[in-house]
Amino acid sequence: MTAEKILQIDRTHIWHPYASIVNPPPVEIAVRARGLEIELASGERLLDAVSSWWCVAHGHNHPAIVEAIRRQSEKMTHVMFGGFTHEPAARLAERLAAFAPPGLDRVFFADSGSIAVEVATKMAVQYQHALGRSRRTKLVALKGGYHGDTVGAMALSDPDGMHTLFRGIMPQHFFAEQPRTRFDGVWQAEDFESLRQIVDRHSEQIAGIICEPVLQAANAMWHYHPQYLREMRRLCDERGLLLIFDEIAAGFYRTGPRWAQNHASIRPDIMCVGKALTGGAITLAATLADKNVAGTISAGTPGAFMHGPTYMANPLACAAACSSLELFENNDYETKVRGIETLFKQGLAPLAALPNVRDVRVIGACGIVETRRLPAPDDIRRVIHKHGVWLRPFSNFIYSFPPLVATEIEIRRIIDAIAELAACPPGPVIDDGGFHE
Ligand SMILES: *Cc1c(COP(=O)(O)O)cnc(C)c1O
């Protein structure tokens, strides 16, 4: 098919994420991808500075992952998980339980991050129900957070963010103020007061607390002090609440250590993983619970945990994730990410002096430049093609979450592109209802 034909069909029939179908923003035609590069129909190659929405940790089309999918596809691409199990699921569950924080070893496979969050929410409610606390049907979440696009996950995401339009159909939860002490700042105890007050006032309605540990990604691109997580853990223990960490963006070394919660040396009762789980090859997510959560749910009525997606534990996805986890185990990503962090800190910090830059934040392999207003779309496209670096600014953020295998030269190219973009004048005000990634 010619490029023109693809674009014509695309414009006629296809919705893109957070885009109008009548007046869509331009799209590139991706033909193949390998390592850090995405090749376009024109033959041009772009360095993927956002890991295709933070999934592609080991680089695109990693040969080991491709081979794992190919081998599995010859045996069985899918089978229902009700009444069946299979080796890829067993291998992955064993590997994931060993890779996860100790104790989080009961695995529910979901088909996307949003669904893993829905599953975690239902686990928390079912847990409290099993303990005879059936009025505890709400969670506390944080302002500035993001947990997905399905209705239940939207309802836990920033209440003033991109989903306000849907307020009328969303379940109502409680929201604590966004933690303001920066990750590397001096802990301010009053940061925790908002959350503590909500729990004091409403604890008989609350099943648990959910947050993105340390790194609030898709909504606020903000990082906060790990002491906040320790305070959360203590409060949950005192009040019989479950603590849920959404590590879908921050897990798998994105912030430095294997899990973002490791900055605080505590673990939650339930944890969601996704995105980099398969190394960006195919969709898969999981909700991990500990023995207490799993045992309590099982001892209640109905005992069964009430969820089961059609494509649960898809064998191709499980095989890809097994291979991805093997790569996470066998590479020293913690050191690699520290190297990326140092380069980002050196290269991006000076941008804070630019007139259109409000703040620069770096944690692990996350380089974030908060602008006053994003440059014009034409400037963004020009910089992308001039440098051959794929950036996807959103809200007022120019950022890079590169594949963890990026070399120093590649990181420097990304920094140069971000620097040129950050120096552009602010573009027009775009009213897109809180457009996000
Ligand atoms: C991306 C993301 C999700 C949603 O994952 P999907 O696979 O897009 O449904 C949930 N939580 C966090 C923290 C995320 O970054």
Side-chain angles (χ1 to χ4, degrees):
M1 209 180 262
T2 63
E4 290 69 31
K5 183 75 182 163
I6 294 170
L7 287 177
Q8 185 223 319
I9 296 172
D10 184 278
R11 272 189 225 108
T12 311
H13 295 288
I14 306 179
W15 251 299
H16 282 266
Y18 286 84
S20 161
I21 196 165
V22 175
N23 185 21
V27 289
E28 308 285 352
I29 303 174
V31 177
R32 57 176 68 78
R34 187 70 190 255
L36 259 70
E37 288 189 336
I38 302 168
E39 188 185 320
L40 307 184
S42 61
E44 184 184 351
R45 291 181 186 175
L46 299 179
L47 199 159
D48 186 352
V50 296
S51 303
S52 280
W53 277 341
W54 329 338
C55 303
V56 185
H58 322 287
H60 284 274
N61 260 43
H62 192 286
I65 300 176
V66 171
E67 176 60 16
I69 294 173
R70 194 194 58 75
R71 253 184 288 130
Q72 180 55 38
S73 73
E74 286 169 1
K75 287 188 243 167
M76 177 172 66
T77 57
H78 187 64
V79 66
M80 65 192 288
F81 212 52
F84 287 103
T85 190
H86 44 74
E87 186 175 330
R91 276 186 194 281
L92 176 56
E94 184 180 42
R95 198 157 217 151
L96 194 52
F99 196 77
L104 291 167
D105 59 358
R106 309 293 147 109
V107 184
F108 190 100
F109 290 116
D111 27 22
S112 72
S114 302
I115 303 303
V117 169
E118 302 275 349
V119 165
T121 306
K122 288 169 76 171
M123 279 182 183
V125 170
Q126 225 179 301
Y127 170 90
Q128 300 291 0
H129 185 268
L131 292 173
R133 307 164 181 164
S134 49
R135 285 188 58 225
R136 295 198 181 206
T137 56
K138 294 182 188 299
L139 297 183
V140 190
L142 303 186
K143 289 187 182 172
Y146 176 82
H147 297 287
D149 280 3
T150 55
V151 174
M154 280 198 299
L156 297 165
S157 303
D158 190 287
D160 303 315
M162 57 191 108
H163 296 132
T164 48
L165 163 68
F166 301 104
R167 216 171 255 165
I169 60 158
M170 293 195 292
Q172 300 298 304
H173 295 291
F174 296 108
F175 284 93
E177 294 302 322
Q178 184 182 45
R180 293 311 301 170
T181 310
R182 295 174 79 106
F183 175 75
D184 41 9
V186 179
W187 169 245
Q188 306 291 314
E190 61 269 23
D191 240 12
F192 197 67
E193 277 316 297
S194 167
L195 179 55
R196 188 189 301 286
Q197 280 172 17
I198 288 170
V199 171
D200 279 345
R201 284 199 200 115
H202 306 287
S203 69
E204 75 296 340
Q205 296 178 60
I206 298 172
I209 301 175
I210 184 168
C211 72
E212 296 163 274
V214 170
L215 177 70
Q216 288 190 317
N219 200 297
M221 284 282 164
W222 174 248
H223 59 201
Y224 60 91
H225 201 286
Q227 182 62 26
Y228 194 93
L229 304 177
R230 291 183 209 115
E231 302 288 338
M232 271 180 158
R233 181 69 273 176
R234 191 176 327 140
L235 188 63
C236 285
D237 291 343
E238 285 167 11
R239 305 300 177 88
L241 309 180
L242 292 183
L243 182 57
I244 304 169
F245 283 166
D246 177 349
E247 291 258 11
I248 291 167
F252 297 108
Y253 302 98
R254 181 52 63 190
T255 71
R258 181 181 294 180
W259 307 109
Q261 63 197 266
N262 295 3
H263 291 291
S265 307
I266 48 128
R267 74 153 172 90
D269 304 289
I270 300 174
M271 171 167 115
C272 303
V273 297
K275 291 206 163 95
L277 174 60
T278 66
I282 185 169
T283 182
L284 186 70
T287 308
L288 310 185
D290 68 8
K291 212 163 91 180
N292 172 42
V293 172
T296 303
I297 290 173
S298 304
T301 315
F305 177 62
M306 301 304 282
H307 203 89
T310 305
Y311 281 97
M312 187 167 178
N314 174 263
L316 297 179
C318 288
C322 265
S323 175
S324 171
L325 279 182
E326 195 172 339
L327 292 168
F328 280 120
E329 287 160 11
N330 295 340
N331 285 280
D332 184 3
Y333 280 121
E334 205 155 341
T335 303
K336 283 201 170 80
V337 169
R338 225 172 301 140
I340 295 172
E341 181 177 70
T342 303
L343 292 168
F344 272 161
K345 280 189 170 157
Q346 289 166 352
L348 298 178
L351 306 183
L354 293 169
N356 191 30
V357 173
R358 199 186 273 157
D359 190 23
V360 174
R361 301 187 275 277
V362 174
I363 181 170
C366 307
I368 300 159
V369 176
E370 183 176 339
T371 64
R372 296 182 196 282
R373 207 161 68 224
L374 279 189
D378 283 348
D379 277 331
I380 295 173
R381 267 194 300 281
R382 182 178 53 74
V383 169
I384 286 172
H385 292 290
K386 175 177 164 193
H387 290 262
V389 172
W390 175 244
L391 296 169
R392 177 95 177 148
F394 72 100
S395 182
N396 54 337
F397 305 109
I398 303 169
Y399 79 96
S400 170
F401 286 17
L404 307 183
V405 294
T407 63
E408 178 168 347
I409 290 169
E410 288 161 335
I411 295 296
R412 289 192 191 284
R413 275 181 62 196
I414 293 169
I415 291 169
D416 286 347
I418 291 178
E420 179 160 350
L421 197 48
C424 291
V429 178
I430 301 169
D431 180 15
D432 56 5
F435 161 76
H436 98 310
E437 266 294 27

